[in-house]
């Protein structure tokens, strides 16, 4: 009987994890779908986008994501994680439909901005929510599912783009079908958000101890009474339970953790990975693959990325996170240098060059999506203590989107000025900078000591 009860709890936890991870799937899908759709919407008989306007359309989602990530923490603290996820699903659905019917560049940019609000909020909320509903022995695995779903969302977008683009590529408005397909998973997320568990950690912060105890038990947590008691004892000493930025930033330990979180977020984005996600089809067309071949090449890249993500996240669960991050960043440098060298070289024929570029891009994305991306999201989800978690996570996530915005906006101009090969060398240097930053901040003994003091020994403590 006890085994059956444990299995029911585990099944419910898995159900919640997969539903919440749909936020990551939508994050991946909506950032990946533009990769194939951009070339079609740029045609003269459609939105007639120049390279500069392409950069604005791509980056409008990203700047919206900055605001979505920044605002998500406050909303999630106010109304709870589950209700916030439900609102995100609604915004995803409405904004996706509006993007699909946009009639000009200005409307597309505006609606992509609104869609970005949902993308940014989901990218901040999902890993935090997963960490809060997961027992300690399952936390890493469950947070990593969000990273896998991000890559899976990108792969699904690539597949949809390839199928639609190759079958109905001569029909001008086919990009609208590509875009509106993203409404399907957002509706699924909204429907299922009514059946998942709320965050017991959030309930503790709101002093709803009895309700938190029931949810802890339903999710399979052990030592439930200890968790409740530690928060109850703290609450008797603290009358003000509201987050206060001025108090938080005066705490040197918390401030150092916040800065480190911002550095981790920066590391994830200056790799150049999202230039491949957003402009992959156009990039492959530039090296001579053609429209049809580029779309199918993206599918291959997406498949390899998903496989790498699955194996990479399993490896990360049992490895030193800081060491794994350094290894992943070294891999990024190697593959970016390789890409730049191949594109700069005139030794190979066009066919061999295309094949080598595709292999190198695939290896780079497999390395980043399998190692660098999941380990950074895992570190961010684990490193902030209870009362400041939502707000600090919002700042760190917003940092990823602000950096993403700048890179997405200037990438087409960089390619036009420097050429594709030199741009890859620039990203190789930025990954080298990331290795230095990771060594100074993420792998420091001071950071590890603060993690133990503020997170592992007292996970419920506030400011």
């Amino acid at each position: 009987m006890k085994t059956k009860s444990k299995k029911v709890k585990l099944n419910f936890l898995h159900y919640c994890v997969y539903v919440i991870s749909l936020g990551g799937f939508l994050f991946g899908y909506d950032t990946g779908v533009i990769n194939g759709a951009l070339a079609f919407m740029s045609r003269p008989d459609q939105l007639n986008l120049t390279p500069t306007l392409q950069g604005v359309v791509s980056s409008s989602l990203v700047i919206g994501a900055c605001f979505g990530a920044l605002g998500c923490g406050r909303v999630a603290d106010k109304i709870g994680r589950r209700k916030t996820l439900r609102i995100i699903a609604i915004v995803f659905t409405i904004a996706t439909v509006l993007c699909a019917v946009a009639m000009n560049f200005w409307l597309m940019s505006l609606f992509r901005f609104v869609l970005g609000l949902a993308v940014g909020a989901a990218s901040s909320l999902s890993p935090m929510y997963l960490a809060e509903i997961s027992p300690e022995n399952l936390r890493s695995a469950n947070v990593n599912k969000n990273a896998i779903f991000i890559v899976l969302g990108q792969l699904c977008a690539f597949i949809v783009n390839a199928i639609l683009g190759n079958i109905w590529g001569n029909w001008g408005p086919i990009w609208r079908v590509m875009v509106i397909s993203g409404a399907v998973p957002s509706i699924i997320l909204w429907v299922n958000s009514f059946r998942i568990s709320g965050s017991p950690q959030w309930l503790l912060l709101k002093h709803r101890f009895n309700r938190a105890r029931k949810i802890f038990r339903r999710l399979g947590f052990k030592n439930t009474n200890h968790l409740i008691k530690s928060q109850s004892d703290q609450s008797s000493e603290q009358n003000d339970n509201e987050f206060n930025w001025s108090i938080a930033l005066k705490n040197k330990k918390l401030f150092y953790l916040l800065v480190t979180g911002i550095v981790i977020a920066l590391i994830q984005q200056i790799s150049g990975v999202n230039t491949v996600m957003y402009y992959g089809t156009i990039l492959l067309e530039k090296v001579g693959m053609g429209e049809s071949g580029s779309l199918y090449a993206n599918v291959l890249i997406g498949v390899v990325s998903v496989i790498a993500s699955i194996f990479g996240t399993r490896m990360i669960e049992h490895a030193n996170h800081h060491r794994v991050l350094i290894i992943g960043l070294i891999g990024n440098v190697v593959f970016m240098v390789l890409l730049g060298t191949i594109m700069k070289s005139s030794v190979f024929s066009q066919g061999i060059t295309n094949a080598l570029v595709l292999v190198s891009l695939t290896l780079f994305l497999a390395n980043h999506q399998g190692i660098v991306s999941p380990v950074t999201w895992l570190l961010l989800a684990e490193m902030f203590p209870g009362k400041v978690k939502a707000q600090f996570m919002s700042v760190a996530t917003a940092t990823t989107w602000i950096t993403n915005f700048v890179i997405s906006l200037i990438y087409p101009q960089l390619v036009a000025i420097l050429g594709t090969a030199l741009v890859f060398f620039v990203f190789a240097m930025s990954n080298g900078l990331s290795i230095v930053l990771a060594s100074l901040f993420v792998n420091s003994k001071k950071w590890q000591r603060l993690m133990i003091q503020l997170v592992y020994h007292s996970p419920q403590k506030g400011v």
Side-chain angles (χ1 to χ4, degrees):
M1 194 72 177
K2 190 175 181 181
T3 305
K4 185 178 180 181
S5 175
K6 185 177 180 180
K7 187 176 180 181
V8 170
K9 292 176 181 178
L10 192 59
N11 287 340
F12 178 66
L13 174 61
H14 285 163
Y15 170 74
C16 294
V17 168
Y18 285 115
V19 172
I20 296 167
S21 296
L22 277 174
F25 181 91
L26 285 163
F27 166 12
Y29 194 97
D30 285 306
T31 53
V33 75
I34 195 67
N35 188 318
L38 193 60
F40 292 96
M41 71 172 67
S42 299
R43 291 175 176 176
D45 63 330
Q46 295 302 305
L47 301 187
N48 193 24
L49 303 179
T50 64
T52 300
L53 296 184
Q54 287 176 355
V56 175
V57 167
S58 292
S59 57
S60 59
L61 179 142
V62 181
I63 195 64
C66 298
F67 288 100
L70 280 173
C72 181
R74 185 175 295 275
V75 175
D77 275 348
K78 188 73 174 178
I79 67 174
R81 291 20 172 174
R82 181 169 55 180
K83 288 182 179 178
T84 304
L85 187 67
R86 198 172 299 153
I87 293 171
I88 289 171
I90 294 170
V91 176
F92 262 122
T93 305
I94 295 173
T96 298
V97 173
L98 290 174
C99 285
V101 300
M103 299 307 296
N104 55 50
F105 157 75
W106 296 106
L107 288 176
M108 174 56 76
S109 299
L110 174 62
F111 298 149
R112 287 267 298 170
F113 173 83
V114 176
L115 183 61
L117 296 175
V119 171
S123 67
S124 176
L125 181 71
S126 291
M128 177 183 70
Y129 196 171
L130 290 169
E132 291 183 348
I133 67 165
S134 301
E136 188 173 351
N137 62 317
L138 297 173
R139 190 167 299 141
S140 293
N142 288 345
V143 173
N144 280 335
K145 282 185 175 64
N146 184 68
I148 294 172
F149 268 59
I150 292 173
V151 183
L152 190 61
Q154 290 167 343
L155 171 59
C156 288
F158 294 160
I159 292 173
V160 169
N161 287 346
I163 293 173
L164 294 176
N166 281 287
I167 296 177
W168 294 288
N170 293 326
W171 182 50
I174 189 61
W175 63 269
R176 299 185 187 275
V177 182
M178 295 175 179
V179 171
I180 203 169
S181 60
V184 176
S186 64
I187 292 172
I188 294 173
L189 174 60
W190 177 76
V191 171
N192 285 276
S193 67
F194 289 90
R195 300 178 61 188
I196 61 174
S197 165
S199 167
Q201 306 286 0
W202 178 77
L203 290 169
L204 287 181
L205 293 175
K206 296 299 180 181
H207 303 168
R208 295 165 62 179
F209 302 121
N210 291 334
R211 178 63 179 162
R213 182 183 287 108
K214 291 178 182 177
I215 294 180
F216 272 130
R217 288 174 178 169
R218 193 179 181 193
L219 292 169
F221 277 76
K222 297 178 181 179
N223 301 321
T224 302
N225 290 331
H226 173 72
L227 290 169
I228 302 296
K229 186 176 185 304
S230 63
Q231 181 65 31
S232 180
D233 290 344
Q234 179 193 329
S235 298
S236 64
E237 299 174 1
Q238 289 181 297
N239 294 323
D240 182 14
N241 197 50
E242 293 298 317
F243 175 86
N244 189 307
W245 270 109
S246 62
I247 296 176
L249 295 180
K250 287 177 183 177
N251 185 313
K252 293 182 180 180
K253 296 175 181 178
L254 288 172
F255 180 74
Y256 186 78
L257 278 182
L258 177 61
V259 172
T260 304
I262 291 172
V263 169
I264 292 171
L266 185 69
I267 285 171
Q268 189 196 55
Q269 289 302 313
I270 62 175
S271 65
V273 64
N274 282 318
T275 61
V276 181
M277 288 294 101
Y278 301 160
Y279 300 104
T281 300
I282 292 173
L283 178 108
L284 292 171
E285 286 180 11
K286 282 182 179 295
V287 298
M289 276 196 183
E291 189 176 90
S292 177
S294 300
L295 288 170
Y296 282 127
N298 273 325
V299 174
L300 174 62
I301 290 171
V303 169
V304 174
S305 295
V306 169
I307 295 172
S309 181
I310 292 171
F311 283 99
T313 52
R314 288 183 179 178
M315 176 194 70
I316 291 167
E317 291 174 26
H318 308 290
N320 182 298
H321 296 163
H322 317 94
R323 190 176 300 129
V324 167
L325 179 59
I326 297 292
I327 293 171
L329 290 170
I330 292 172
N332 278 357
V333 173
V334 171
F335 295 127
M336 280 295 180
V337 170
L338 186 60
L339 272 165
T341 303
I342 292 169
M343 289 190 171
K344 199 73 175 170
S345 174
S346 58
V347 175
F348 306 109
S349 66
Q350 186 64 56
I352 294 176
T353 299
N354 290 349
L356 290 174
V357 167
L358 180 58
V359 170
S360 301
L361 273 178
T362 302
L363 290 173
F364 165 71
L365 282 173
N367 179 76
H368 187 91
Q369 306 287 50
I371 300 176
V372 178
S373 183
V375 80
T376 50
W377 284 116
L378 185 58
L379 288 168
L380 290 174
E382 290 181 338
M383 69 181 297
F384 302 129
K387 191 175 178 182
V388 302
K389 182 184 285 287
Q391 301 282 357
F392 278 19
M393 186 70 177
S394 291
V395 173
T397 309
T399 302
T400 69
W401 289 111
I402 291 169
T403 312
N404 190 341
F405 167 72
V406 174
I407 293 173
S408 300
L409 186 63
I410 67 173
Y411 175 76
Q413 285 78 23
L414 278 177
V415 170
I417 296 169
L418 301 177
T420 307
L422 285 180
V423 170
F424 282 125
F425 286 123
V426 170
F427 283 126
M429 289 188 290
S430 68
N431 278 284
L433 174 62
S434 293
I435 295 172
V436 175
L437 291 174
S439 300
L440 290 174
F441 287 87
V442 183
N443 202 29
S444 68
K445 293 181 180 180
K446 181 178 180 180
W447 183 80
Q448 293 180 43
R449 186 172 68 251
L450 291 178
M451 282 286 291
I452 292 171
Q453 292 174 352
L454 292 171
V455 180
Y456 294 117
H457 284 176
S458 54
Q460 303 307 320
K461 286 188 178 181
V463 177

